[in-house]
Amino acid sequence: MGQAGIARGATGTAWSPWAPLPLAMPPDSEVLAEILGGGQAFRWRLEPGGEWSGAWSRNRVRLRHGPEGALEWSAPMALAAASGPALGDYLDSGRDPRELADNLPWRSDPHLARCIASFPGLRILRQPLGETLLCFLCSATKRIVQIKQMAALLAEAHGSRIGSEGEPAHALPTWQELAEVSEADLRACRLGFRARHVHLTARFLAANPGWLEETGGAPYPEARQRLCQLPGVGEKVADCVLLFGAGRLEAFPVDVWILKAMSRRYGLEGWKPAQVAQFGRSHFGALAGLAQQYLFAWERMWEKAESGNRKSEKKQIG
DNA sequence: TACCAGGTGGAGT
DNA sequence: ACTCCACATGGT
């Protein structure tokens, strides 16, 4: 594959040659895993070869580390011309994550400083608004791997094909497409009680064209309020949609991990989610959502390490 | 086997 | 306004 020309995978899909992806502060493999697989997006998977394959809108790409820690991308030949710019936009390549993080109040917040240092180059993705809404409607009381599974089933069953073959080969269904899908068929995608929310939201959005796009452009408080009118969307999901699907970095989603983090690291024991959200926006400021992602990543890493420690203790004692 | 997962909505105080 | 709980499903 070193020579010029196209690569052909085992499935027969022709992929463009690997091309460099210019990125300030490219993430190492751990941080890349946090960006693509850490709960912002649910359409990426780590292939056996070590590269990531993902899909959004009508795009499909593969991503891997090249020489010097830089990132390289490849896409199905027919889509490759559009995929480069699209991937740059998706990864917010125009911004330097170090500069963004430097505008967080880490100087007066030792825990935040520690989180930022642990995930250098962490980025907030710029995902399509509709897809972000769909995935986070599915997210309620589910683990990330399960949300990925639901998204994959929805795409396969109800999304249009992207490119020719290989995985993931289907786009997520649009809201127009979802409006034609019965609640029972959504349940068949293992959505459980979330199927009703997706179904009702789809009917609403199909009946109100432009509503979602208008919401994405509205000022934060109004956008949040509008999203919360959708069935299945509460304050947490609304904030995730605005943060990951509309680039609204002031949104501060509060899930169980952030509740733990704010309780353990900031002493906010027993605080309600709405109170924590208010605290987060005011303490972390205009980039609160970025701070949130650092806290989220750090807390999950910490708990994983903690459970690992307990296991090895048990081993030694028993 | 219980308990938990990037929660929300409705009912009852 | 606040508290409690059902809601589907799969993993530990």
Side-chain angles (χ1 to χ4, degrees), chain A residues 189-316:
Chain A
C189 293
R190 320 316 292 160
L191 294 203
F193 63 83
R194 302 154 198 83
R196 178 175 168 76
H197 297 151
V198 171
H199 181 71
L200 292 174
T201 291
R203 303 303 298 235
F204 175 84
L205 292 178
N208 295 273
W211 186 94
L212 188 57
E213 292 66 30
E214 195 180 331
T215 299
Y220 170 69
E222 185 191 338
R224 192 172 190 258
Q225 202 166 17
R226 282 169 65 104
L227 285 172
C228 286
Q229 293 170 16
L230 297 173
V233 178
E235 299 187 343
K236 188 272 177 185
V237 167
D239 277 334
C240 284
V241 171
L242 289 172
L243 177 58
F244 305 129
R248 308 304 287 272
L249 299 187
E250 67 263 54
F252 190 83
V254 175
D255 71 337
V256 292
W257 288 100
I258 293 301
L259 280 177
K260 282 184 196 175
M262 300 310 281
S263 169
R264 291 168 176 167
R265 319 300 164 197
Y266 293 81
L268 310 187
E269 292 168 46
W271 286 41
K272 303 282 176 281
Q275 297 176 300
V276 171
Q278 177 58 44
F279 176 92
R281 291 193 297 270
S282 118
H283 177 70
F284 297 113
L287 304 177
L290 178 61
Q292 179 272 166
Q293 202 58 22
Y294 278 112
L295 297 173
F296 179 81
W298 195 95
E299 204 64 30
R300 297 195 331 135
M301 177 186 71
W302 183 85
E303 199 155 294
K304 194 188 291 180
E306 193 71 1
S307 74
N309 289 341
R310 276 197 298 274
K311 268 182 201 165
S312 64
E313 257 178 58
K314 250 185 176 173
K315 238 184 212 170
Q316 287 178 4

Side-chain angles (χ1 to χ4, degrees), chain A residues 36 41-44 53-63 73-75 79 82-91 125-129 131-132 162 168 170-172:
Chain A
L36 299 178
F42 304 95
R43 296 278 287 150
W44 289 89
S53 66
W56 73 98
S57 300
R58 307 290 306 156
N59 303 295
R60 268 175 82 191
V61 304
R62 291 176 177 177
L63 202 53
W73 66 276
S74 162
L79 308 171
S83 294
L87 180 60
D89 181 53
Y90 181 88
L91 289 174
L125 296 174
R126 301 180 61 86
Q127 300 179 72
L129 186 58
E131 295 188 357
T132 313
I162 319 175
H170 291 259
L172 283 172

Side-chain angles (χ1 to χ4, degrees), chain A residues 69-99:
Chain A
L71 292 179
E72 298 176 331
W73 66 276
S74 162
M77 280 305 293
L79 308 171
S83 294
L87 180 60
D89 181 53
Y90 181 88
L91 289 174
D92 198 17
S93 68
R95 282 203 275 199
D96 187 332
R98 290 167 299 193
E99 285 178 23

